[in-house]
């Protein structure tokens, strides 16, 4: 029977929940905003299946990839909508052309990150772009198993621990499954992100007023666009964690809010964009303040997940191949299995091949977990808002502020010279 004594021993993949034959395991959100399994012992029959499918209990061995490539999607529009080079879409379209189905992470109607599936190329758009929040996996492992047993080809994309959970859940290899993960820094708390959005909406609501009231509206739960927001009449239109308007390397967080008019028409009232080092949520994420506890001791790094293909940003490409880097995004395509090589062969025809050391050089998270910061406990015990607490605990250093100031001075100097 699954029993979580140390939260670092649960990655939240939900394999145990979906495999339980008595459905006596349910997920519950803790005070940090993460989901953990709880067992109804009155229903449990001690079959042990929940433990057998746990990727933390049953860890795989380290693997060495078969090949590493730099690749990008020739479709410029798709590439700009993607976090890096748009290679995921190419793999997904290949599966769909063979009558397959594609699983990935997307936003639901409440702007929570969930796993879902798509059966048309048009529907793939919802999976593009990074979502720096742990997704709710739901019953997708069961859905995958159903598609596989019916003979459909399936591409399942997710974090390495979600891929590991899926593989343990299935308990056998399927020739018609293509498992795709990515090099993962760690997954932030859905609860923290939910509160962050609430605070952003409240600030926007306050700005829409007469400007005299500096007190923010109390935090309110997010609801669907049609419902509005607790009388605000405001709704989220779009969220982009990796907006490329200033380039791939200088991506930013973009949030668009709308408000319904008396006539029922929606008008954009707030369009917020801040670069990576200015956005508070991303700043706290990179400071590792609110990652899942298991991320600080990840059990599936070194390509242990069982994925066929691993994707990542090829951050060092400008040093290795300046001609390939147009600052619109380049994918690092890591082939782990012969099946992954077969599905990637069309992509690799015109791709540039590199040695494995470039993976660890430019994406160290492939091998190493980040350290748990001493201030993490302070963050979750703070009685201030999420934004205020991030400002307090993850403020830019003096060196970073001076660097930003130098950039402004140089830009202004060049503008005057022109």
């Amino acid at each position: 029977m699954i029993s979580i004594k140390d939260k670092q021993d649960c990655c939240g993949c939900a394999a145990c929940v979906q495999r339980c034959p008595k459905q006596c395991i349910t997920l519950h959100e803790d005070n940090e905003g993460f989901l953990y399994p709880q067992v109804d012992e009155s229903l449990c029959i001690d079959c042990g299946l929940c433990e057998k499918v746990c990727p933390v209990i049953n860890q795989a061995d380290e693997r060495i990839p078969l090949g590493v490539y730099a690749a990008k999607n020739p479709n410029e529009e798709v590439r700009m909508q993607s976090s890096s080079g748009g290679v995921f879409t190419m793999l997904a379209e290949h599966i769909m052309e063979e009558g397959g189905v594609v699983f990935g992470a997307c936003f639901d109607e409440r702007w929570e990150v969930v796993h879902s599936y798509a059966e048309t190329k048009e529907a793939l758009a919802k999976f593009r772009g990074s979502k720096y929040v742990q997704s709710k996996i739901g019953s997708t492992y069961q859905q995958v198993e159903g598609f596989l047993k019916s003979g459909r080809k399936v591409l399942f994309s997710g974090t390495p621990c979600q891929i590991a959970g899926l593989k343990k859940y299935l308990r056998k290899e399927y020739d018609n499954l293509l498992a795709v993960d990515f090099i993962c820094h760690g997954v932030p708390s859905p609860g923290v992100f939910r509160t962050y959005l609430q605070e952003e909406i409240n600030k926007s609501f306050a700005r829409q007023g007469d400007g005299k009231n500096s007190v923010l509206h109390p935090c309110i739960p997010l609801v669907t666009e049609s419902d509005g927001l607790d009388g605000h009449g405001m709704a989220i239109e779009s969220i982009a964690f990796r907006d490329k308007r200033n380039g791939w390397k200088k991506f930013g967080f973009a949030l668009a809010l709308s408000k319904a008019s008396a006539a029922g028409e929606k008008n954009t009232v707030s369009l917020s964009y801040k670069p990576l080092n200015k956005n508070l949520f991303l700043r706290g994420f990179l400071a590792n303040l609110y990652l899942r506890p298991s991320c600080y001791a990840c059990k599936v790094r070194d390509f242990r997940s069982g994925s066929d293909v691993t994707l990542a940003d090829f951050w060092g490409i400008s040093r290795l191949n300046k001609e390939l880097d147009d600052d619109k995004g380049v994918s690092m395509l890591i082939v782990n299995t012969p099946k992954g090589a077969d599905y990637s062969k069309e992509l690799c025809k015109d791709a540039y091949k590199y040695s494995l050391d470039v993976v660890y050089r430019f994406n160290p998270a492939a091998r190493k977990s980040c350290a748990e910061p001493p201030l993490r406990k302070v963050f979750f015990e703070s009685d201030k808002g999420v934004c205020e607490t991030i400002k307090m605990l993850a403020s830019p250093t003096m060196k970073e502020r001076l660097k930003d100031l130098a950039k402004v001075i140089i830009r202004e100097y060049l503008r005057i010279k022109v």
Side-chain angles (χ1 to χ4, degrees), residues 92-150:
E93 288 179 342
H94 187 172
I95 290 288
M96 285 186 169
E97 287 168 1
E98 297 180 343
V101 58
V102 175
F103 285 77
C106 61
F107 291 109
D108 67 5
E109 68 279 358
R110 295 176 62 87
W111 294 96
E112 293 185 322
V113 181
V114 300
H115 251 69
S116 182
Y117 68 87
E119 297 183 85
T120 66
K121 291 183 179 181
E122 292 73 22
L124 289 175
K126 64 184 179 182
F127 298 144
R128 292 188 195 119
S130 298
K131 285 89 176 174
Y132 291 133
V133 182
Q134 183 168 33
S135 69
K136 291 182 178 179
I137 209 74
S139 60
T140 52
Y141 293 174
Q142 295 173 342
Q143 293 170 339
V144 167
E145 187 175 38
F147 283 123
L148 292 173
K149 287 183 175 179
S150 70

Side-chain angles (χ1 to χ4, degrees), residues 31 46 67 116 178 184 190 212 253 258 320 347 351:
N31 64 317
D46 287 320
S116 182
L178 181 69
C184 180
K212 297 178 182 178
F253 182 93
S258 67
L320 302 174
L347 283 71

Side-chain angles (χ1 to χ4, degrees), residues 9-246:
D9 293 334
C10 177
C11 63
C13 71
C16 58
V17 177
Q18 297 178 72
R19 182 47 71 192
C20 177
K22 302 301 288 185
Q23 298 182 332
C24 66
I25 307 176
T26 52
L27 294 174
H28 296 266
E29 188 172 294
D30 71 351
N31 64 317
E32 294 182 348
F34 293 106
L35 296 174
Y36 290 90
Q38 290 184 13
V39 181
D40 183 342
E41 295 186 29
S42 67
L43 298 176
C44 179
I45 57 174
D46 287 320
C47 65
L49 284 176
C50 56
E51 294 180 330
K52 290 178 181 177
V53 300
C54 175
V56 175
I57 295 175
N58 306 283
Q59 296 175 34
D61 295 329
E62 175 184 346
R63 295 185 303 168
I64 297 177
L66 303 179
V68 179
Y69 303 86
K72 56 186 180 181
N73 196 316
N75 185 316
E76 293 285 303
E77 183 179 354
V78 168
R79 189 153 62 105
M80 289 303 291
Q81 294 171 358
S82 306
S83 293
S84 51
V87 167
F88 162 77
T89 297
M90 298 176 73
L91 288 170
E93 288 179 342
H94 187 172
I95 290 288
M96 285 186 169
E97 287 168 1
E98 297 180 343
V101 58
V102 175
F103 285 77
C106 61
F107 291 109
D108 67 5
E109 68 279 358
R110 295 176 62 87
W111 294 96
E112 293 185 322
V113 181
V114 300
H115 251 69
S116 182
Y117 68 87
E119 297 183 85
T120 66
K121 291 183 179 181
E122 292 73 22
L124 289 175
K126 64 184 179 182
F127 298 144
R128 292 188 195 119
S130 298
K131 285 89 176 174
Y132 291 133
V133 182
Q134 183 168 33
S135 69
K136 291 182 178 179
I137 209 74
S139 60
T140 52
Y141 293 174
Q142 295 173 342
Q143 293 170 339
V144 167
E145 187 175 38
F147 283 123
L148 292 173
K149 287 183 175 179
S150 70
R152 298 279 298 276
K153 290 191 175 181
V154 175
L155 184 155
F156 188 95
S157 63
T159 61
C161 58
Q162 288 173 336
I163 297 298
L166 172 65
K167 287 299 189 102
K168 297 298 181 185
Y169 170 87
L170 292 173
R171 297 181 292 177
K172 60 173 285 189
E173 288 295 326
Y174 285 86
D175 292 337
N176 49 332
L177 170 65
L178 181 69
V180 179
D181 64 1
F182 53 88
I183 294 178
C184 180
H185 177 80
V187 289
S189 162
V192 170
F193 183 62
R194 186 189 312 131
T195 304
Y196 167 77
L197 286 180
Q198 290 168 354
E199 292 182 9
E200 288 296 300
I201 291 168
N202 291 338
K203 285 189 285 187
S204 180
F205 176 72
R207 288 194 295 268
Q208 299 306 312
D210 57 14
K212 297 178 182 178
N213 184 6
S214 61
V215 180
L216 295 182
H217 193 280
C219 281
I220 44 176
L222 292 176
V223 294
T224 62
E225 290 184 13
S226 59
D227 291 333
L229 289 168
D230 192 36
H232 289 192
M234 297 179 67
I236 297 173
E237 285 294 307
S238 64
I239 297 173
F241 287 93
R242 298 279 299 272
D243 187 291
K244 293 181 181 178
R245 68 183 66 185
N246 291 327

